[in-house]
Every structure is written in structure tokens, then in C-alpha cells.
Amino acid sequence: MTQQVDERAPRTQGPTTEIELSVSGMTCGSCAARVQKVLGRQDGVERAAVNFATERATVVFDPARVNAEELVAAVGKIGYGLAPAEPSSEAPEDEAEDVLERIWLRRVLVAWPLGIAVLVLSLWFMHDPWARWSAFALTVPVQFWAGYPFLHQAALRARARQANMDTLIAIGTLAAFGYSAVNVAFGPHHSDHYFDTSALIIAFLLLGRYFEARAKGRASSAIRALLELGAKEARLVVDGEERLVAVEKVKVGDLLRVRPGEKIPVDGEVVDGRSAVDESMLTGESVPVDKLPGDRVAGATINAQGALTVRATAVGADTALAQIVRLVEEAQGTKAPVQRLADRISGVFVPLVLALALATFAGWWLLAGDAGAGLVAAVAVLIIACPCALGLATPTAIMVGTGRGAAMGVLIKGGEVLERSKRVDTVVFDKTGTLTRGEMALTDVLAAEGESADAVLGRAGAVEGASEHPVGRAVVDGARERLEAVPSAEDFTSVAGHGVRATVDGVVVHVGRRKLMNEAQLMGCTALDEEAERLEEEGKTAIFVGWEGRVRGVLAVADTMKDDAPAAVADLRGMGIEVVMITGDNRRTATAIAEKVGIDRVLAEVLPADKVSEVRRLQDEGLVVAMVGDGINDAPALVQADLGIAIGTGTDVAIESSDITLLSGDLSGVATAIRLSRRTFRTILQNLGWAFGYNLAALPLAVAGALNPIIAGAAMAFSSVSVVSNSLRLYRFRKS
């Protein structure tokens, strides 16, 4: 699709450029560590990250000092391939994975029957010359055809004076095969041979590679699933006529017709028609959203009912779906900080294992006088110690976790976010637009004794008619709904932070806070003050209205609470997380609202510019803070917080500043995002624990000769499969 081509182009960031490259030839975590090390050493490279699971490298470099061709050449010198990453697309990726699976399966189907036949001959007919030669003949195709991928990669690494997992496999199996071949050809008829060891090790490793390829295909399916959501064609309206075109040909400004049941091709604005649109692919919410002329719609969402005419506002890489795909891809390419230890170990592991295998063979031969046992032990050391599982532990969990999150409307921006989320013990909610709908509505109109409520509301509505403040708009909307006519005003003046005034019917009318009334020398009355206090205790904003020396009435507006706010707060508190509300409202109003949703701690009367300092103050108390917000003025606080969570219905600035984005306005997503992040990080730790523990436990057994190389091959093959399979369990994650 067109947008992916654009997304893959190098992105210039000031003097540096970021480019994503495809890496070929990697077979284990040590390969990824080696490629990353070489890229990082190149002059002009600021940062390089190589992901073994996705086989991608992200490089930030200064194009004035190094170019992509030089990076490709540097990696080629150590035996690996580097090329511009192909755009994510449904068909090529599926086809490549299917081809890879078939390659491994063909070799499995050859290696296993032959390997079992060799085992039978070795167990029951070892000393018969015909059986020994038959075992040799049957092992040759397993060793050199079925095992060719291991031998080929080992040869490439040797040519580049490097070593990796394939080096261990090649040396181990060739040593067993060569030793056995020499014994069969030149040794006494009763001498041992290990053809079964060589054949079955390769058979187990091939089976492991096949299962690993299948599992990794599932782990990377999130991107394909997202891409498959997009429409392939669009109904272009030209001179009133519909014409079916490929979605790539749609341009900004084009008019599109979307019939009931069809996918909306691109992001746009409804210009005609009304319908309900299923936005579950975008937000995770199953309830369709009503759309009217002027409303925005997103590409890949489904028009559930009436026909719509939509004007395209974003196409290609600028659509919401394309941006989500890019965010998920970037997240899947990141590493959790805990992976750094695994990377360092993988980078030096293979040379250490080669030295240990050589020492094991020498020890058995020189100290025990048993070269055959030394060979078996050395082969077991080479096979069991593969660092492949270490390389897969983190990226596969991140791939599945972020993919599952995207399907649920939760975008998690990488491995570092996962690690930080597990430490969060405090969640700070911005009030307006996050806990509340951000839409003020007129709730009460109270007049002083002898005054008409309609007159108070009418004059207040006239004065606020020129105001852009949400409170003022609520008063105007309320006046228009309740009154037949609203008078006009002249000489409008805004008194910053206090209210407004204007002339209505020849009278100067003031509308605003108590302070404005005092400054205008308007006398109040006790009854109205008491009513205003009562309204504020209910969480409403009280507005005084006065003219000609007296306060004539008080109005109240309130921001309506989101229906799911109390349940979302209770869910977080049930997780042991302290919940805090931050708002610019006065303390009395803020406390009343907080009580309604179950929040005990309130940071009230906080100016937008002071939100950052309030978050920092909480951090100074030793708290690990997650900030949840949706507005432009929330962006600095989202960055300051240990974990920034943006409500996706908010502004682009807030979303870009956050670590986690909730694509819907559903507050239950906050707890879901934290739970999913924690579950994913826990899976990473489980994977690393298994990979480290497996090697630490098995190596001493191999050195001591207590581990059969065939069992070592089986265990090594399935260690990687177990790591990937454990990561795939994240697909079962559900909202609580």
C-alpha cells in the first residue's frame, strides 16, 4: 500500500536521518548483537538497534558522514545482508513466511525418517559392517542436505571470521559425523560411532526451526491484521457519477460515496448523509458512533447504516490507520532495558562456548583417557548452549503484547514503556476532557428576590454571546434553549480570569466570578451567596450576573462526568494504585467532583502551566506517576510523568507526547493498558528466566558427560519454541 512506502523512507531529524533496514542471515541473538555493534561503530552513526525477532535494524545517522551504502557494506563484511526494509504489506509478508515454513518442513520430512532409521541401526546393529555403512549412507543426506542451512551460515560466519549459533551446530554435528566416518572406514569393527547423534540433532533442530517460524509468524501477525482492515477500493464521485477506483488513487479533497456495510476508504469529513459507523477497529469499542455532516470519519471503519458522502482529508501515510501501523511497528522494533543484559551475553556467548567445548574434549581425553566420551560431551556443550532463546525472549513478547494492545485500542510505544509501567503506583487524571466530557452545560438559573429568572438568563446570554470560553458558550446555549429570544449586546469586554461585561438594552451587565462583582461595586445578597456555595459544593461552577449596582442572579454550569469514570477509578484502586485528580477548578468544586468518582486526593486550582511542577512534586515524594490527559496543556505533564497516557479522542500533541495512547475515550482503557504492559513485561522476565536458567542448568551436565547430545539438541530446539509460545499466550489477554 502506498502509505507504507512513504513510511519507510528515511526520516530526517535535524542533522540526522533515521532509516529502517532489513537484516538477513541472523540465526540467533548473538547475530543481532554483532550486527548492532558493527552499525554502532560506523562513523556518523548516532544510534543503532537491531531486532532479531523482526529482522529489522533502525539506524540514526548523520548523512554528511556516512550513507546507507556504507552501512550495507560494513555489515556485509561480517557475513550478514542489509537492505532497505520492504514496505509492510499483506501479501508479500504472508508469502515470505509461508515459503520459510515450507523450506523448514521439507527438511524436517527428510531428516526425521532417516534419523530414526540411523538410530535403529545404531541401537541394534552397531557392530554389523552393513549396518555401520548403511548408517553412514543414511546420515550423509541429513548432514549435508537437511542440515545445509546450518553449514552454509557457519561457513559465511567463518569467512568473515565470526561465530554464531550455526557455528556451534556445524562444529558439533560435523565432529560427530567425521569421528564416526573415520571409525567406520578405518577403525575396528566394534568401535563406536555417533551417526545417530549427528542425524537426530539436526532433525530436532530443524523441527525446532519449523515450529519457531510458525510461532514467529503468529507473533508478527498484528501488523498484517491491521493492514488487512484497510479498504482496497473507493467509490469516487465525479460530476455526480460514481467511479470505483483503487484506494491509492484517492486524493485529499476528493468526494467519496460510502454505502451501508462498506468500509470507509480514507480519513475524511462527512458532507452529506447520516449513519452509524462501527469504529471498533480503531477504538476497540463495539458500539457504533452516529455520524452527521461535519463529523470526522476514519479510514477502515465500517459504515453500518445509511449512505454517506465523505470528503477525503487524509490519504496514504497520513490516515489514522497508517499512523497506528507505524506506531505498532516502531514499538515492536524497540527493546526493553532488561534486554541489554541478554544482548551483552549473546555477544560473547558463542566464543566462550567454543572454548568450553574444546576444554571439555581436552579434559576428557587427557584426564580420563576417553576421547570418545570427550567428543560426546563436547558436542553436547556446543549444542545445548545456543543463545537463540535469549535473542527471542524480549522481542517476541513485545511483538505480541503491542499487537494485542493495538487490537484492543491501546497503543504501547515500546519496550521501555513496558518496563516503566510495572513500577507505576500513582495515576493522575486531568479532569476536563478526561474524567469529564469537556462539555459544559447550564444546570441552574437562580434570580434574586424581585427579579425574573428569564431576564437574568437572557441578559447573561446576550453578554456571553461574543465569548469563546466554554462556560460562556454553555450559558449562551442554555439561554437559546430556554428562551424564545435572546437580546443583543454591545461594547463587549473580557476581564481575564474573572468574567465579561457588555451593554444590553442600554444597561452595563457584568457576568462572572464574585471578584468581578466586587470590582464593579455590585452589591450582593446573602441568599444568592448561600445558593452559590451550595452549587459549588455540588461540583458546579457558579456565575454571578449583575447590573445597576446589584447582583441580580446566579447561574450554574457543570461539566458532565463520563459514565465510566467511577468504575475506572475503582478498578485502578483495586490494583493498589493511588488515584489523583488535577484541575484548575477551585478546591470546593474539585473536591465535590472527586468524591463522585471515588478519588481521595485532589490537586485543585492548578494553572495549565503548573501541571508539570505538580507531577514533579509527586515524583519528589517517591511516587512513580502515570499522567492521563487529552489536551495540549497536558502534553508537558505527560512527558514529565514516568508514564504518559493520552486519551486518543484528544489532541495530536497530547498523543505524540504520551507513552501509551488510548484510541477511544473509554477510561477503563487506563487500567487495561497498565495491566497489559505489566503482563507483557512479566512475560519478558519469564522468557529471560527460562533462557538463562536453561543454559546455566544444562551446561554443567553437558561438560560432565551426563547429557546426551541428542537430548541436548531436542532441548535447545524447543527452548526457542517455548519462549515464543509463552509470548503467544499474551493473545489471550482480555479486559477485566
Side-chain angles (χ1 to χ4, degrees), residues 115-345:
I116 291 172
V118 172
L119 177 64
V120 171
L121 292 173
S122 300
L123 289 177
W124 285 286
F125 306 100
M126 180 184 290
H127 300 303
D128 293 340
W130 68 269
R132 293 155 65 85
W133 282 105
S134 295
F136 169 77
L138 293 174
T139 304
V140 168
V142 178
Q143 179 72 57
F144 296 103
W145 183 82
Y148 174 77
F150 305 122
L151 302 179
H152 176 65
Q153 287 296 324
L156 291 177
R157 300 288 85 73
R159 192 179 307 161
R161 298 181 181 178
Q162 303 285 337
N164 70 345
M165 183 200 76
D166 294 306
T167 305
L168 304 182
I169 295 171
I171 292 176
T173 57
L174 285 174
F177 177 83
Y179 180 86
S180 303
V182 170
N183 273 355
V184 168
F186 305 109
H189 72 278
H190 56 78
S191 60
D192 293 337
H193 71 79
Y194 303 102
F195 290 125
D196 56 335
T197 298
S198 172
L200 286 175
I201 284 175
I202 290 174
F204 273 116
L205 296 178
L206 290 171
L207 187 62
R209 286 291 180 89
Y210 169 67
F211 284 133
E212 184 182 315
R214 290 192 63 183
K216 284 173 69 177
R218 277 196 64 196
S220 61
S221 63
I223 296 294
R224 293 196 308 277
L226 287 171
L227 289 168
E228 288 167 3
L229 294 172
K232 304 299 183 290
E233 294 179 316
R235 297 182 187 277
L236 187 64
V237 180
V238 181
D239 297 329
E241 298 292 326
E242 293 182 18
R243 190 168 71 226
L244 205 60
V245 299
V247 72
E248 290 85 357
K249 295 185 178 180
V250 176
K251 298 181 177 62
V252 173
D254 285 348
L255 287 180
L256 308 171
R257 185 75 40 77
V258 187
R259 297 176 180 176
E262 291 182 340
K263 289 181 179 178
I264 296 172
V266 297
D267 293 3
E269 180 181 333
V270 177
V271 295
D272 186 41
R274 56 192 304 157
S275 180
V277 175
D278 180 358
E279 297 184 336
S280 58
M281 58 71 55
L282 193 68
T283 66
E285 297 301 314
S286 58
V287 179
V289 179
D290 291 333
K291 297 294 182 181
L292 302 172
D295 289 342
R296 297 274 182 169
V297 291
T301 57
I302 299 173
N303 181 22
Q305 295 177 351
L308 294 174
T309 301
V310 176
R311 177 177 286 106
T313 58
V315 299
D318 296 325
T319 63
L321 177 62
Q323 292 176 38
I324 291 170
V325 169
R326 189 181 73 248
L327 285 171
V328 174
E329 286 182 322
E330 289 175 353
Q332 292 185 343
T334 64
K335 297 179 181 180
V338 71
Q339 175 69 12
R340 294 172 190 151
L341 175 61
D343 287 345
R344 286 198 295 270
I345 292 176

Side-chain angles (χ1 to χ4, degrees), residues 100-120:
L100 186 61
E101 285 184 29
R102 287 197 296 271
I103 289 173
W104 291 119
L105 182 59
R106 279 200 301 269
R107 296 182 188 277
V108 166
L109 294 177
V110 170
W112 270 98
L114 296 180
I116 291 172
V118 172
L119 177 64
V120 171

Side-chain angles (χ1 to χ4, degrees), residues 469-660:
H469 193 280
V471 171
R473 301 314 304 166
V475 171
V476 173
D477 292 342
R480 288 172 179 170
E481 288 175 6
R482 302 185 187 199
L483 305 176
E484 291 183 4
V486 177
S488 58
E490 300 173 341
D491 301 325
F492 173 86
T493 303
S494 175
V495 182
H498 301 305
V500 294
R501 67 173 177 264
T503 302
V504 182
D505 298 331
V507 176
V508 177
V509 179
H510 294 77
V511 182
R513 296 185 177 184
R514 287 184 181 87
K515 190 169 183 179
L516 180 65
M517 302 297 115
N518 294 334
E519 289 178 353
Q521 297 181 345
L522 299 176
M523 295 178 59
C525 69
T526 305
L528 283 181
D529 285 339
E530 290 175 352
E531 288 294 334
E533 288 183 9
R534 178 184 63 80
L535 293 170
E536 289 175 345
E537 286 173 357
E538 294 175 1
K540 300 173 182 178
T541 299
I543 309 157
F544 293 89
V545 183
W547 63 85
E548 294 184 335
R550 288 181 55 207
V551 176
R552 307 287 175 161
V554 63
L555 312 179
V557 298
D559 187 1
T560 53
M561 190 68 60
K562 288 184 178 178
D563 295 336
D564 59 345
V569 170
D571 197 5
L572 289 168
R573 295 183 66 172
M575 295 168 62
I577 294 174
E578 181 182 4
V579 183
V580 179
M581 186 180 81
I582 188 168
T583 178
D585 289 346
N586 65 68
R587 180 158 297 279
R588 181 184 298 167
T589 301
T591 301
I593 293 172
E595 287 177 352
K596 289 181 181 179
V597 293
I599 295 177
D600 295 329
R601 186 168 182 179
V602 178
L603 305 176
E605 301 176 20
V606 179
L607 296 174
D610 294 334
K611 289 182 180 180
V612 170
S613 59
E614 288 295 330
V615 170
R616 189 179 295 119
R617 188 166 61 81
L618 291 172
Q619 292 170 323
D620 291 341
E621 294 176 17
L623 302 175
V624 180
V625 179
M627 173 74 190
V628 185
D630 77 319
I632 290 175
N633 57 28
D634 296 326
L638 291 172
V639 174
Q640 173 62 39
D642 299 283
L643 189 70
I645 302 176
I647 303 295
T649 52
T651 65
D652 291 341
V653 175
I655 294 170
E656 287 297 322
S657 303
S658 67
D659 301 306
I660 295 175

